[in-house]
Amino acid sequence: MRQHSRTAAAGVLAAALLFATAGPASAAAGPAAAPGCTETWDAWWVCRHYVDARVHAAPDRNSDVIGALSGDSSRFHCRTEGGWHGSGPHKTRWLEAEGGGWVSDGTIISETDPVALC
């Protein structure tokens, strides 16, 4: 009986140590990355963005705002590193919108790494 108690206690201790060092599986995985922009058959990129994302005349937050994107996704031609806008994971990245103008990466929900360089 005494041997059984030591074996059971050792098993409980081993399980506790394993949990303490590994942690729960969900904590190890971390947050899921946003899906990337997708390329269309005609070489444009469709990216999700916040409603009414501002469109600037140049890839710089101090440039004139010339419009806003409607809906929650739009087509973009390419990406460039421009003036600092200070939001999102890529703080100097801008995307060229289909209708003309530039949208800061901070207003794009999709990951923009797949978008072609200008």
Side-chain angles (χ1 to χ4, degrees):
M1 180 86 165
R2 202 171 198 167
Q3 179 67 25
H4 179 69
S5 295
R6 277 190 254 171
T7 304
V12 170
L13 178 60
L17 287 174
L18 179 62
F19 183 79
T21 56
S26 61
C37 300
T38 55
E39 189 173 13
T40 63
W41 65 272
D42 55 351
W44 286 84
W45 295 86
V46 175
C47 305
R48 292 192 61 231
H49 57 77
Y50 295 110
V51 175
D52 296 329
R54 293 179 181 173
V55 179
H56 291 260
D60 186 314
R61 72 179 182 154
N62 295 320
S63 68
D64 292 338
V65 174
I66 59 173
L69 299 176
S70 60
D72 65 355
S73 65
S74 294
R75 290 169 33 120
F76 298 91
H77 181 251
C78 58
R79 66 180 165 95
T80 190
E81 300 303 319
W84 184 80
H85 55 75
S87 62
H90 311 288
K91 306 228 182 288
T92 60
R93 184 172 293 173
W94 294 79
L95 283 79
E96 185 180 18
E98 182 177 24
W102 296 88
V103 178
S104 76
D105 182 84
T107 61
I108 305 294
I109 298 168
S110 303
E111 173 54 60
T112 58
D113 281 345
V115 177
L117 293 171
C118 295

